[in-house]
Amino acid sequence: MTTYLEIKSICAREILDSRGNPTVETDMALLNHRDGQLYRGTAAVPSGASTGRFEAVELRDGEPRYFGLGVQHAVKNVNEKIAPFLCGENALNQIRIDRKMIELDGTDNKGNLGANAMLSVSLACAKAAAKALAMPLYRYVGGAGAHLMPVPMMNILNGGKHAANTVDFQEFMIMPICADRFADALRICAETYHNLKKILQEKGLSTGVGDEGGFAPDLPDAESVLALLVDAIRASGYKPGEDIWIAMDAASSELYNEKTDMYHFPGESSLKGEEIIRSTDEMISYFEKLSQNFPIISIEDALAEDDWDGWQKLTQRLAGKVQLVGDDLFVTNKKRLAAGIKLGTANSILVKVNQIGTLTEAFEAVELAHKNNYTAVMSHRSGETEDTTIADLAVAWNTGQIKTGAPCRSDRVAKYNRLLRIEEELGAAAEYPGLTAFHVQ
């Protein structure tokens, strides 16, 4: 008898994310026709502060409650439109379910139902089906080949829209490529994080944290941040550029000014007492200089989301030496990724499931990346929940890299702890890729 997991009910609600803003959570109940039992899956959707213009629509109410950020309309779409449309379907047909929602929405950007509404249903479906089959989510989604643990791209210093400080670039991260297993990598990152805190305290700098748990002191420029990270790595007993490398998220779309066609650095300008602006060519030269002077292995969103010509130049200059990650550039969208591949821009894609709205479409982006020798980095958002789905997806899709914040704040740590449990469950089959996770020399 073929297993039939009938969708019996779908129920969404409004909950809060890690910034105290509303988001969507959905429960799905399935009836297993083999044993007559009901199985439930629950999924919550994250939210970004620094968002690309080409992301799928995150539906917000725009009403006085919660300063316009309520998601009651998205919740209503789940309960009154999506639920009756999907009830009776077999939850094992994930692609069919996701495509039916896309058809029901009828827009290119999920603007009708909302990507937040659709994703909550898509993920809840996969989680409920995995539970009904008594399988961990990574095994249900990824099959027998899911075994690769991700190298953590751990954010230990915040800036940009993720922190109220003068650091213009958004994230400065460490990547422990020397570890033999994920558990050791996590320990190395946590030790370095705590040593950075000690160094900041010794220098009289703030140890308050940003949205993703990284420290958020006022510093004049990227060089000063990178120097602190190098000091923290050495204080932890590791060699920068051998044991631990540095990754950056510049979030340059937030710095770009369309009127001037330049990148403006307000924090650096305020501390240096002069206006700091850079052209595309100057940005490329700046990143090249930083990567020559510091052990940088990955740069995300080095240029603005529509600066395709600049991205081509950047890729020609730095690809092979540095992983160039497209976040706002690709927004987990296979059409934009395909355009980037054709133009020879970047060599990696950041994967945020809420940017695209369904599990199926996110997987298609990862699959396209891997087929074209691009790396894929599974990622959280700055507004997170306790939901750990992305940890399972990183293993399911063998992305080999994950960014999910600092070893601080339970919404971030929950993902790391989930990966510890997955590695323990995989046992000898678990593989930690180290430097092989990157396509750089």
Side-chain angles (χ1 to χ4, degrees):
M1 173 178 161
T2 302
T3 301
Y4 192 92
L5 302 179
E6 182 185 355
I7 298 177
K8 296 298 290 184
S9 67
I10 301 173
C11 178
R13 66 184 62 87
E14 185 181 68
I15 64 169
L16 294 184
D17 68 15
S18 60
R19 284 197 295 255
N21 293 326
T23 191
V24 182
E25 180 181 74
T26 290
D27 297 330
M28 181 179 289
L30 311 178
L31 174 64
N32 189 333
H33 284 216
R34 280 191 169 183
D35 60 19
Q37 298 295 312
L38 279 176
Y39 297 88
R40 301 180 186 278
T42 300
V45 177
S47 175
S50 172
T51 56
R53 284 194 295 124
F54 302 101
E55 291 190 26
V57 172
E58 179 185 71
L59 199 62
R60 298 284 182 178
D61 296 339
E63 297 166 356
R65 59 187 301 275
Y66 283 119
F67 310 101
L69 298 178
V71 292
Q72 288 185 330
H73 292 172
V75 166
K76 186 176 181 180
N77 284 343
V78 173
N79 294 335
E80 297 184 8
K81 295 181 180 179
I82 297 176
F85 189 66
L86 293 183
C87 279
E89 289 286 332
N90 185 351
L92 291 175
N93 294 330
Q94 181 78 42
I95 294 176
R96 171 179 165 84
I97 286 164
D98 288 344
R99 288 180 178 169
K100 280 178 70 70
M101 283 195 289
I102 292 169
E103 178 187 347
L104 179 65
D105 174 80
T107 68
D108 290 334
N109 63 357
K110 316 294 191 298
N112 184 5
L113 297 175
N116 45 351
M118 294 171 65
L119 181 65
S120 69
V121 175
S122 181
L123 296 183
C125 179
K127 294 174 82 170
K131 189 174 291 186
L133 298 178
M135 299 173 70
L137 182 61
Y138 69 86
R139 182 65 66 213
Y140 172 69
V141 173
H147 73 290
L148 194 66
M149 299 303 299
V151 177
M153 187 182 279
M154 185 175 282
N155 184 345
I156 63 173
L157 199 143
N158 275 185
K161 279 201 169 184
H162 292 176
N165 63 356
T166 60
V167 177
D168 293 306
F169 289 154
Q170 192 160 273
E171 297 176 60
F172 292 84
M173 299 162 282
I174 52 173
M175 303 195 73
I177 58 93
C178 65
D180 293 323
R181 59 191 187 122
F182 177 81
D184 290 335
L186 185 60
R187 172 184 56 79
I188 290 167
C189 286
E191 291 170 354
T192 306
Y193 178 80
H194 289 297
N195 276 316
L196 176 60
K197 182 176 183 179
K198 292 177 184 177
I199 291 170
L200 293 173
Q201 288 172 331
E202 290 169 358
K203 293 180 178 294
L205 296 168
S206 171
T207 56
V209 300
D211 285 348
E212 297 177 352
F215 299 115
D218 285 335
L219 293 165
D221 50 35
E223 287 91 341
S224 59
V225 176
L226 292 165
L228 284 171
L229 265 61
V230 167
D231 289 345
I233 292 168
R234 287 180 175 146
S236 304
Y238 300 103
K239 295 180 180 179
E242 291 185 33
D243 301 324
I244 301 176
W245 288 75
I246 293 173
M248 295 170 51
D249 175 8
S252 291
S253 292
E254 305 294 341
L255 304 175
Y256 179 68
N257 185 312
E258 289 187 2
K259 292 181 180 178
T260 63
D261 193 27
M262 301 285 280
Y263 294 85
H264 293 246
F265 288 71
E268 188 175 347
S269 299
S270 66
L271 287 189
K272 291 185 175 179
E274 59 178 311
E275 187 176 16
I276 305 296
I277 59 175
R278 294 180 172 97
S279 66
T280 293
D281 288 339
E282 288 171 331
M283 288 287 282
I284 294 170
S285 296
Y286 187 43
F287 288 120
E288 190 169 40
K289 175 186 172 184
L290 291 177
S291 63
Q292 289 170 348
N293 294 337
F294 296 94
I296 296 171
I297 198 169
S298 181
I299 303 173
E300 177 186 332
D301 279 354
L303 297 171
E305 58 203 343
D306 249 351
D307 190 358
W308 291 100
D309 291 340
W311 272 96
Q312 284 182 302
K313 293 179 185 178
L314 175 75
T315 306
Q316 290 165 4
R317 291 265 287 273
L318 289 182
K321 301 175 183 177
V322 177
Q323 177 176 260
L324 300 172
V325 186
D327 175 17
D328 292 346
L329 182 70
F330 296 140
V331 292
T332 319
N333 185 309
K334 67 178 184 180
K335 291 182 180 179
R336 285 188 66 86
L337 176 60
I341 292 168
K342 185 176 181 180
L343 291 171
T345 57
N347 55 21
S348 180
I349 182 174
L350 199 74
V351 181
K352 295 173 175 174
V353 286
N354 81 312
Q355 282 183 328
I356 193 64
T358 67
L359 187 64
T360 297
E361 290 168 292
F363 171 69
E364 289 172 344
V366 173
E367 186 177 43
L368 181 62
H370 285 167
K371 284 181 178 178
N372 288 276
N373 205 35
Y374 275 50
T375 58
V377 182
M378 185 58 59
S379 178
H380 63 162
R381 300 306 299 256
S382 54
E384 263 297 338
T385 73
E386 61 272 28
D387 190 302
T388 62
T389 299
I390 62 168
D392 281 75
L393 295 183
V395 178
W397 295 337
N398 291 321
T399 63
Q401 299 177 61
I402 190 170
K403 57 180 289 193
T404 186
C408 169
R409 305 181 62 156
S410 58
D411 44 284
R412 316 293 154 177
V413 175
K415 280 75 165 172
Y416 293 125
N417 288 341
R418 173 60 185 153
L419 286 165
L420 290 174
R421 298 181 188 108
I422 292 174
E423 183 172 60
E424 182 180 273
E425 190 172 289
L426 285 171
E431 178 186 345
Y432 185 77
L435 194 59
T436 62
F438 307 88
H439 299 161
V440 296
Q441 299 172 353

